[in-house]
Amino acid sequence: MSLTDKAIARIRELVQSGELPPGSKLPPEQQLATELGLSRNLMREAVKALVVARVLEIRRGDGTYVTSLEPSLLLGGVGGAVELLQGDTLLEVTEVRRLFEPIATGLAAARISAQQLRKVEQHLAAMREARDDVELLNRHDAEFHRAVIAATGNQTLATLLEGIAGRTLRARVWRGLVDDNAAPRTLAEHEAIYEALAEGDAALAEAAALMHVSTTERWLRAHLQQGEARPPTAARGRPDTVLMGTPPSAPDRP
């Protein structure tokens, strides 16, 4: 372990022990460095690393603070890491989604409010309208799943699933581009999920979500075996735009 890593560990210990609770301000750099027996340079490097990890935040002209330490903040970088995965690890991501999302959907069925259910229904209706528009279909597809997972009330679970959604969304979009029959099947699978949520049937919702995720996984596995599963190239247009379902002028996530 490098000296910088040791410095990071020392500050993390203060946060974990509660000596530096969420939202608290760190002592002045020199004071903290002295208390921890570190040089100012090591302290500076440790703080920078913890800022990147979203454990600390620097407020210009005010000082350094511990962040809220909320899951959405600390786990928000998962998506960026997932997007860098290569080759067969794409299948591993879909397997992780298959493990988490059906259970989460079942949990949502038991907890979803009328307002949350209406939001899910709105995205389903938008998917029906967009069934011939792959880009728009997949945008509302992603929002449909976000609304479902949000209904669990579990921020950690929602953040983790959001982190893997980018890569699996790529698979769904590409599937829609190469398979003319993908849109009707995808829509039918979402209808089944919505109906189970509306009935408050957790077991049925879990089964419907498992069927939906497994369909995508089977398709992807078959194409990987054929050596065909790879993101579209620039020849098909701007890949980041097409894959993520955003207009060319606004390349953000759906």
Side-chain angles (χ1 to χ4, degrees):
M1 180 182 291
S2 70
L3 291 176
T4 300
D5 288 337
K6 289 180 181 179
I8 293 170
R10 297 287 296 279
I11 298 175
R12 287 174 63 93
E13 286 172 6
L14 294 177
V15 174
Q16 291 170 334
S17 68
E19 290 184 54
L20 289 174
S24 63
K25 183 178 181 179
L26 270 65
E29 183 182 272
Q30 183 59 59
Q31 178 184 334
L32 187 59
T34 301
E35 290 176 0
L36 297 180
L38 302 170
S39 70
R40 293 188 67 173
N41 284 339
L42 277 179
M43 177 60 61
R44 218 170 272 128
E45 290 300 316
V47 167
K48 286 179 182 178
L50 290 171
V51 167
V52 172
R54 303 179 183 181
V55 174
L56 301 177
E57 63 176 333
I58 297 174
R59 301 178 187 175
R60 300 299 178 188
D62 190 7
T64 302
Y65 287 78
V66 180
T67 66
S68 65
L69 303 180
E70 292 291 328
S72 59
L73 188 65
L74 296 181
L75 300 176
V78 171
V82 167
E83 289 296 326
L84 296 176
L85 297 178
Q86 304 289 319
D88 288 346
T89 51
L90 175 56
L91 271 178
E92 294 182 4
V93 174
T94 61
E95 287 175 352
V96 171
R97 181 176 172 230
R98 175 162 50 84
L99 290 170
F100 281 108
E101 191 162 313
I103 300 297
T105 305
L107 185 61
R111 297 179 174 179
I112 196 166
S113 67
Q115 182 179 1
Q116 290 170 327
L117 184 62
R118 282 195 297 273
K119 188 172 183 180
V120 174
E121 185 180 21
Q122 288 169 0
H123 289 299
L124 180 59
M127 288 175 69
R128 294 191 195 103
E129 292 294 324
R131 58 188 306 152
D132 296 324
D133 184 330
V134 172
E135 180 180 331
L136 193 56
L137 173 66
N138 280 278
R139 183 183 304 178
H140 286 289
D141 181 357
E143 293 295 344
F144 175 98
H145 288 287
R146 274 198 195 99
V148 172
I149 303 307
T152 66
N154 188 317
Q155 190 178 9
T156 300
L157 182 59
T159 303
L160 288 172
L161 282 170
E162 177 71 14
I164 65 174
R167 198 65 189 254
T168 52
L169 179 59
R170 286 172 183 254
R172 289 202 304 273
V173 174
W174 189 39
R175 177 178 168 220
L177 293 172
V178 300
D179 183 355
D180 290 338
N181 296 318
R185 288 202 302 272
T186 298
L187 184 56
E189 291 165 1
H190 285 78
E191 295 272 7
I193 293 171
Y194 169 75
E195 289 171 6
L197 292 172
E199 293 174 13
D201 191 327
L204 185 59
E206 183 176 335
L210 178 60
M211 177 67 71
H212 174 53
V213 177
S214 296
T215 297
T216 299
E217 185 180 348
R218 284 196 304 271
W219 176 88
L220 180 59
R221 189 178 298 277
H223 283 71
L224 275 172
Q225 290 171 350
Q226 297 169 18
E228 298 175 8
R230 59 186 181 277
T233 63
R236 291 188 181 184
R238 294 178 57 183
D240 288 342
T241 297
V242 176
L243 291 175
M244 302 315 291
T246 59
S249 60
D252 55 356
R253 294 188 58 174

